Amino acid sequence: MKRSWFFVPVLAGLLLGGSLVAQNKAVPTKIGYIDAEKVVQAYPTYKNIKDIQTQAQNELKPLQDKLTPLQAKIQSGSATAKDQQDYQVMLKAYQEAAKKWQDKSQAALKPITEAIDKVISTVAQQQGFAMIFDKKVAASSGLVVYADESLDLTEAVIKALPK
């Protein structure tokens, strides 16, 4: 019975000692934000994304121009069976083309966003930030209603991007 009394203070000492050591490490507490869209647009190869978007728009606009009047006819109830069939065929073609361009755009954007994420992480660590939010997402979600301008890391991240 006397041995169990010996283990209680030793165990308590180990637990308390371990938690005190863990608390000595400085943990960043600053929370910042960036304008992610502005950072992505500042990336050197962003022009490739714009080119893909232009190509997509050039392919999709004629399809959209054909779909719009057919859709209006269908909604008004004056569409023939052929109009409805044409609409379904064109809608399918439009959806397939849109998916193709979306996939192509995402594939081109992925390496850019991965590189930007690394730059954001580096800049945040260098400046002592624990967390970085996307300014527009945080504001539109209601997550953040106010943020001081001094917490904006957008320009620092843009300056740190590869040239």
Side-chain angles (χ1 to χ4, degrees):
M1 194 61 145
K2 290 184 181 185
R3 268 213 262 197
S4 65
W5 286 107
F6 172 74
F7 288 114
V8 172
V10 170
L11 183 61
L14 287 174
L15 290 174
L16 289 175
S19 65
L20 292 176
V21 171
Q23 291 176 357
N24 288 338
K25 182 181 176 192
V27 177
T29 57
K30 289 189 341 185
I31 297 175
Y33 61 92
I34 62 163
D35 183 340
E37 186 176 333
K38 187 175 178 181
V39 172
V40 169
Q41 290 173 353
Y43 199 80
T45 59
Y46 179 71
K47 183 189 178 306
N48 298 343
I49 304 300
K50 290 298 288 178
D51 292 344
I52 290 171
Q53 290 172 343
T54 301
Q55 293 170 357
Q57 190 175 25
N58 290 341
E59 183 177 329
L60 294 173
K61 185 165 179 3
L63 291 171
Q64 182 66 43
D65 291 345
K66 291 177 183 176
L67 279 170
T68 303
L70 287 173
Q71 186 176 16
K73 273 185 166 180
I74 290 170
Q75 287 176 340
S76 70
S78 63
T80 64
K82 176 153 178 29
D83 289 337
Q84 291 180 1
Q85 183 180 9
D86 289 348
Y87 176 78
Q88 292 301 323
V89 169
M90 278 190 217
L91 180 62
K92 184 176 180 184
Y94 178 84
Q95 290 170 339
E96 288 172 357
K99 174 138 179 45
K100 173 188 80 172
W101 286 109
Q102 181 181 14
D103 292 347
K104 192 170 186 173
S105 180
Q106 286 177 346
L109 194 57
K110 185 178 180 183
I112 292 173
T113 56
E114 288 174 352
I116 289 172
D117 287 349
K118 289 177 184 174
V119 171
I120 291 169
S121 178
T122 301
V123 170
Q125 288 174 2
Q126 289 171 347
Q127 296 192 18
F129 283 85
M131 194 177 305
I132 303 297
F133 287 100
D134 179 332
K135 179 181 183 177
K136 291 178 183 173
V137 172
S140 67
S141 68
L143 182 64
V144 176
V145 293
Y146 170 79
D148 190 272
E149 290 295 320
S150 67
L151 301 174
D152 187 349
L153 289 180
T154 304
E155 292 306 317
V157 170
I158 289 173
K159 286 179 186 174
L161 292 175
K163 302 299 175 218

